[in-house]
Amino acid sequence: MDLSPAFLQRMEEARQEGIQTERRATIENLLRVRFGSLDDELSAIITQLLELPPEEFTRLLLQSSREELLNRFGR
C-alpha cells in the first residue's frame, strides 16, 4: 500500500503534535503537584520548558524552587 507523501507528512505532524501535547500536560501536572496550582507566572514559563529535553525539564521541575524556575525562565 503506497501512501502519498502529503499524507505521510500529515501523519508525522500529528504525531509531533501529540508528543508536544503530552509533554505540556506532563509539565503542567508537575507544576501543579509541586506548587499546588498553575498560576499565570508558572503558566508563562511552560513554552520555554517545552524546548528542553524531557530529562532536563523533569529534573528542573522536581529540584528547583518556584523562585528558581521563575528567575531562570520568567521575569
Side-chain angles (χ1 to χ4, degrees):
M1 178 181 196
D2 284 335
L3 301 174
S4 74
F7 178 77
L8 293 173
Q9 180 179 355
R10 181 62 193 125
M11 291 274 298
E12 178 60 21
E13 289 169 359
R15 187 181 77 77
Q16 289 297 325
E17 288 171 17
I19 290 169
Q20 196 75 349
T21 299
E22 186 64 31
R23 284 185 180 174
R24 177 175 287 278
T26 299
I27 289 171
E28 289 174 354
N29 288 333
L30 284 168
L31 288 168
R32 281 189 191 99
V33 167
R34 282 291 314 278
F35 305 114
S37 65
L38 190 59
D39 62 19
D40 290 341
E41 284 185 307
L42 291 173
S43 294
I45 68 171
I46 291 172
T47 302
Q48 293 174 54
L49 287 164
L50 283 167
E51 295 173 7
L52 302 174
E55 297 82 11
E56 188 173 349
F57 73 65
T58 302
R59 181 185 53 76
L60 285 170
L61 293 174
L62 292 175
Q63 296 178 351
S64 301
S65 70
R66 175 188 169 86
E67 288 304 312
E68 289 170 331
L69 290 170
L70 293 176
N71 285 335
R72 179 169 176 174
F73 297 104
R75 299 187 179 151

